[in-house]
Amino acid sequence: MDLRQIQDILTKKASKIPPDYSETIQITSLALLKMLKHCHDGSPNQVMGIMLGTVVDDYTICVDDAFALPQVGWAINIDSIDVEFLKKMLKLQKQTQNKLKPVGWYHSHPGKGPFLDTDDAFIQKEFQQEEQRFAAVVIDPIQSCYGHVIIGAFRLVSQETFDLGVEPRLTTSNIGHLERPLVYSKTYYKMLIKYSLKEKDRKLLMSMKPYKWFDGLIVKRGSDAESENEGRIQNACELLDLFNQRLKEEHKLLTEKKSPQQIQAELAVKYVGKIDPRRNMDKNASIAIEDTLSQSLAAMIFNVTF
Ligand SMILES: [Zn+2]
């Protein structure tokens, strides 16, 4: 078999796999807020970071979290990536035992709008060689305004599929209509972006709601206060179980032959991003006492006044 034949077979094989331009990248509000804040704080300089999440299926990538990378220069290029820092962060991420993996990188284009320039394409090529489905997100923090974020998600078109001129994978949609992804400048294409609000994000955003002084004087219904207190007691039981479990884990670590510094370092990283039962029990107890007290006081004032 000569070289020509091998090449023919390879080309035939390659042409069977259609390129895929119909993926959706789903960004949670928490990740979007984090990225936007980082890009905003960094402007007018360009800043970059890594997006963490999960690859759901062939059509969807979910971005749950993001972290910033240290800035070395004014603009983004391959030399401005601190590889050592990146490796260290990914190692720490693995130790925290959550299932998020790096799914893409983001960077800012202050005032320029989202696109990939030559340097970005070069970085993206490096990432894509490691992980085919790695996505590049570009945010413009200057043009973004309240309720509208200027953002774009891109991926490079591989040179082989471009040379072969293969049609992209055909997709149908049950949502009603299908937005066609745009292929830019024959080297990269735009991915669809969707935003999601998970329960955890909703709680976090709600906790930022400003409270007024008279909120404490609102008397709740007796049945509401009762069910709230029942929920708190149930929560306290769950936290107690968790605390018990945590103590057992710590005890197990202590029995292993490791130095105290090593154990401390391991414990510090192991529970990152997880509920701390000790602190939560303390916090919940004081909230319950404060709430019950203010409810009784407000009810008394209400009785005396009206
Ligand atoms: Zn750029």
Side-chain angles (χ1 to χ4, degrees):
M1 198 183 274
D2 65 351
L3 197 67
R4 187 70 186 269
Q5 276 173 311
I6 295 170
Q7 259 175 355
D8 279 350
I9 290 167
L10 282 177
T11 332
K12 264 182 197 165
K13 233 182 181 177
S15 64
K16 273 183 187 167
I17 311 161
D20 192 350
Y21 302 149
S22 33
E23 246 180 286
T24 306
I25 184 157
Q26 220 171 55
I27 304 177
T28 59
S29 33
L30 181 67
L32 187 67
L33 259 178
K34 265 179 142 175
M35 292 194 284
L36 199 62
K37 191 177 180 305
H38 178 215
C39 293
H40 206 272
D41 290 348
S43 59
N45 292 353
Q46 290 189 8
V47 291
M48 73 176 285
I50 296 291
M51 299 189 295
L52 299 168
T54 40
V55 177
V56 182
D57 52 26
D58 283 354
Y59 294 88
T60 329
I61 291 177
C62 193
V63 177
D64 292 287
D65 203 357
F67 66 84
L69 286 177
Q71 192 62 25
V72 185
W74 286 85
I76 300 293
N77 55 46
I78 199 81
D79 298 323
S80 64
I81 302 174
D82 193 338
V83 182
E84 283 308 309
F85 179 86
L86 184 60
K87 275 184 193 164
K88 201 179 145 194
M89 279 301 277
L90 294 179
K91 203 178 148 198
L92 286 173
Q93 166 68 22
K94 250 183 210 167
Q95 282 179 32
T96 58
Q97 296 176 346
N98 69 19
K99 287 172 189 134
L100 304 183
K101 280 180 195 157
V103 287
W105 66 294
Y106 71 91
H107 77 286
S108 64
H109 275 182
K112 290 194 285 182
F115 64 93
L116 289 188
D117 61 23
T118 340
D119 282 333
D120 303 336
F122 191 72
I123 296 174
Q124 175 63 13
K125 201 177 164 192
E126 294 282 313
F127 278 132
Q128 239 173 277
Q129 270 169 1
E130 293 285 322
E131 170 59 53
Q132 261 200 344
R133 295 184 67 183
F134 220 71
V137 163
V138 185
I139 299 174
D140 187 337
I142 305 244
Q143 285 183 44
S144 297
C145 57
Y146 183 75
H148 187 68
V149 184
I150 307 290
I151 188 171
F154 309 100
R155 194 179 284 139
L156 296 186
V157 178
S158 75
Q159 194 58 43
E160 295 92 62
T161 48
F162 179 67
D163 290 344
L164 290 166
V166 189
E167 282 285 310
R169 178 176 71 169
L170 286 173
T171 44
T172 51
S173 165
N174 61 351
I175 305 165
H177 65 281
L178 188 67
E179 276 181 71
R180 276 225 161 271
L182 293 166
V183 179
Y184 282 110
S185 68
K186 293 174 183 172
T187 52
Y188 63 90
Y189 62 92
K190 195 176 183 180
M191 292 161 74
L192 304 176
I193 302 180
K194 276 189 183 153
Y195 307 99
S196 65
L197 190 65
K198 288 187 177 173
E199 193 49 43
K200 214 165 61 183
D201 302 334
R202 194 191 299 276
K203 271 187 191 166
L204 190 106
L205 291 172
M206 282 306 284
S207 68
M208 289 177 188
K209 182 187 161 204
Y211 281 97
K212 297 187 179 75
W213 65 270
F214 52 78
D215 282 348
L217 288 175
I218 296 169
V219 185
K220 283 180 209 156
R221 263 194 210 172
S223 55
D224 285 354
E226 196 184 330
S227 60
E228 221 169 78
N229 273 335
E230 270 171 14
R232 276 188 193 127
I233 290 167
Q234 207 176 349
N235 191 22
C237 291
E238 280 164 19
L239 284 173
L240 209 62
D241 280 345
L242 197 67
F243 186 42
N244 200 6
Q245 202 183 326
R246 186 87 41 111
L247 279 179
K248 274 181 196 161
E249 278 173 20
E250 280 176 25
H251 184 73
K252 202 178 150 197
L253 260 180
L254 283 172
T255 48
E256 284 172 21
K257 278 177 190 168
K258 275 178 188 166
S259 69
Q261 286 94 346
Q262 230 173 339
I263 291 170
Q264 236 170 21
E266 220 167 283
L267 281 176
V269 180
K270 200 176 176 186
Y271 301 122
V272 168
K274 305 232 163 57
I275 292 170
D276 183 353
R278 269 170 261 215
R279 223 170 63 190
N280 266 282
M281 277 198 291
D282 195 28
K283 203 177 109 195
N284 283 6
S286 50
I287 288 176
I289 293 167
E290 274 170 29
D291 209 41
T292 319
L293 262 177
S294 73
Q295 275 302 302
S296 333
L297 271 175
M300 271 150 75
I301 294 170
F302 191 77
N303 276 341
V304 171
T305 327
F306 304 106

